[in-house]
C-alpha cells in the first residue's frame, strides 16, 4: 500500500453474514484456479468486507485449497472496520487495510467486491469498474455483484482488464421459488435495466419460461429442473458460457455482450 492515495468511495452499511458469499467464492475458486496457480504473487483483494471480516476469512480458506500461499487483503473504506478486523488477521495469508476502489496501490490477481456498489448510484459503477480493473495484475479479474442476506440468491459480473466479460446468476435450488426472484439481486449495473426492451429482462424471462416448462422434472429434484431450464436458455440462442457441471450447482453464466444494457450497445 502506498499510503498516499485517498481511498475512493464512501462508507456504506456494513451488513454481512457468515457463509453469505460461499457461492461466489466457490465460483472464483473454479474460474480463477489457473490464474491463482500461475501467479507469481497470489494476491487477492476483498473490497468492502463490512462490519465484521468473516467473509474475508472464509475467502482465504476457500482459495487456499487452490493456492495454499494465497494472500487475501481485506480492504475497507471505514477505518473503524479496519481496526475491528485486526484481531482476525493471520499474516501473511490474511491482512486488513484501509482502501477503496483504487485498491490501495495493490496489484491483485482477483478482486471480490460484493454488496458494495449496490449502495451507490448507477452512474458510479462504470468509473469504479474502470478504477478496479486498471489496478489488476495481468490476467486478473474483478468479481462484482450482489446477493441476499443468506447468500441463497446471487448475481455477479466478472471483469478483466478489458472490461466486463460475463454475468453469473446463482441460486440455492432447494429453496428457489422461481428464477424471476434473481431480479432483486442483479448487480447495480443491471438492476435498473430489468425492464421490457432490455436484454437482461429477456434473459430472466427465458430462464423463467424454461423453469416453468421444466416443472415435470421437479419430481427428480430442483437440480434436474434447473439444468433443463438452463439447457432451454442455451437452446434459445443465449451465449451460455459454463458447462452442465456448473448448472448442477444452480448457476448460469452468460456473456456480458448478450445482456449489456442497451444504452451501451
Ligand atoms: C454491505 S457491506 C458488504 C460486506 C461483504 N462484502 C458482504 O457481502 O457480506 C459493504 C461494505 O463496503 C464498504 N465500502 C463501501 N464502499 C467502499 C469502497 N469504495 N471501498 C472499500 N469499501 C467500501 C462499506 O464501508 C461496507 O462496510
Amino acid at each position: 500500500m502506498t499510503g498516499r492515495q485517498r481511498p475512493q468511495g464512501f462508507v456504506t452499511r456494513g451488513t454481512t453474514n457468515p457463509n453469505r458469499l460461499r457461492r461466489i467464492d466457490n465460483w472464483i475458486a473454479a474460474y480463477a484456479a489457473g490464474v491463482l496457480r500461475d501467479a507469481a504473487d497470489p494476491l487477492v483483494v476483498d473490497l468492502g468486507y463490512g462490519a465484521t471480516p468473516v467473509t474475508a476469512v472464509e475467502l482465504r480458506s476457500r482459495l487456499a485449497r487452490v493456492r495454499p500461499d494465497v494472500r487475501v487483503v481485506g480492504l475497507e473504506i471505514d477505518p473503524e472496520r479496519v481496526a475491528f478486523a485486526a484481531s482476525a488477521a493471520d499474516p501473511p495469508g490474511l491482512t486488513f487495510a484501509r482502501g477503496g476502489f483504487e485498491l490501495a496501490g495493490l496489484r491483485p490477481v482477483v478482486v471480490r467486491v460484493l454488496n458494495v456498489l449496490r449502495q451507490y448510484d448507477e452512474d458510479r459503477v462504470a468509473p469504479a469498474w474502470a478504477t478496479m480493473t486498471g489496478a489488476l495484475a495481468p490476467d486478473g479479474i474483478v468479481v462484482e455483484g450482489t446477493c441476499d442476506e443468506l447468500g441463497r440468491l446471487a448475481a455477479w459480473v466478472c471483469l478483466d482488464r478489458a472490461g466486463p466479460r460475463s454475468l453469473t446468476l446463482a441460486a440455492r435450488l432447494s429453496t428457489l421459488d422461481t428464477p424471476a426472484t434473481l431480479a432483486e439481486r442483479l448487480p447495480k449495473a443491471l438492476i435498473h435495466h430489468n425492464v421490457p426492451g432490455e436484454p437482461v429482462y429477456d434473459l430472466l424471462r427465458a430462464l423463467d419460461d424454461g423453469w416453468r416448462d421444466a416443472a415435470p422434472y421437479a419430481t427428480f429434484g430442483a437440480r434436474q429442473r434447473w439444468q433443463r431450464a438452463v439447457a432451454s436458455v442455451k437452446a434459445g440462442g443465449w451465449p451460455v458460457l459454463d458447462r452442465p457441471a456448473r448448472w448442477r450447482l444452480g448457476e448460469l453464466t452468460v456473456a456480458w455482450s448478450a445482456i449489456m444494457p442497451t444504452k451501451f450497445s
Side-chain angles (χ1 to χ4, degrees):
M1 170 169 186
T2 64
R4 268 174 255 129
Q5 288 170 286
R6 199 168 153 269
Q8 288 184 28
F10 53 81
V11 176
T12 58
R13 280 190 310 278
T15 317
T16 190
N17 261 317
N19 255 333
R20 179 189 201 193
L21 304 182
R22 185 182 69 254
R23 283 171 208 288
I24 295 93
D25 294 353
N26 290 340
W27 188 87
I28 293 172
Y31 182 81
V35 73
L36 274 170
R37 285 199 191 105
D38 294 347
D41 181 7
L43 176 62
V44 173
V45 164
D46 181 20
L47 187 69
Y49 53 82
T52 81
V54 62
T55 64
V57 174
E58 293 167 351
L59 179 64
R60 189 262 190 120
S61 76
R62 288 181 183 128
L63 296 187
R65 291 178 207 141
V66 176
R67 177 80 191 240
D69 60 342
V70 68
R71 286 197 301 130
V72 172
V73 178
L75 292 180
E76 246 293 336
I77 202 157
D78 181 343
E80 289 182 16
R81 292 175 186 158
V82 178
F84 182 78
S87 63
D90 181 19
L94 181 63
T95 54
F96 299 96
R98 185 147 186 255
F101 297 126
E102 82 298 337
L103 306 184
L106 300 173
R107 266 182 103 61
V109 288
V110 175
V111 179
R112 185 189 70 180
V113 50
L114 258 289
N115 300 303
V116 173
L117 276 167
R118 184 65 186 273
Q119 297 179 66
Y120 284 73
D121 288 338
E122 190 189 343
D123 62 5
R124 300 290 300 268
V125 173
W129 279 0
T131 303
M132 292 187 286
T133 55
L136 284 172
D139 301 325
I141 58 164
V142 171
V143 176
E144 188 273 308
T146 308
C147 67
D148 66 350
E149 297 225 333
L150 299 178
R152 292 174 175 180
L153 298 169
W156 58 90
V157 178
C158 178
L159 306 98
D160 62 19
R161 298 212 297 185
R165 291 282 163 228
S166 60
L167 169 73
T168 299
L169 304 174
R172 183 183 192 221
L173 296 178
S174 59
T175 51
L176 182 67
D177 179 19
T178 154
T181 55
L182 282 158
E184 301 155 21
R185 302 296 155 183
L186 286 171
K188 192 70 183 191
L190 293 169
I191 194 160
H192 304 301
H193 300 278
N194 183 32
V195 292
E198 288 288 337
V200 73
Y201 177 87
D202 293 338
L203 174 67
L204 286 171
R205 281 286 298 266
L207 186 58
D208 226 33
D209 290 348
W211 178 257
R212 193 194 54 239
D213 294 346
Y217 290 91
T219 50
F220 303 111
R223 275 187 178 174
Q224 283 279 338
R225 188 176 179 183
W226 177 267
Q227 283 178 283
R228 290 276 161 179
V230 174
S232 78
V233 168
K234 187 171 180 178
W238 289 92
V240 174
L241 299 182
D242 53 359
R243 298 190 185 163
R246 301 300 311 180
W247 307 353
R248 290 190 77 248
L249 304 173
E251 291 176 9
L252 164 62
T253 298
V254 294
W256 173 259
S257 55
I259 48 84
M260 177 170 68
T262 50
K263 70 174 184 178
F264 296 123
S265 55

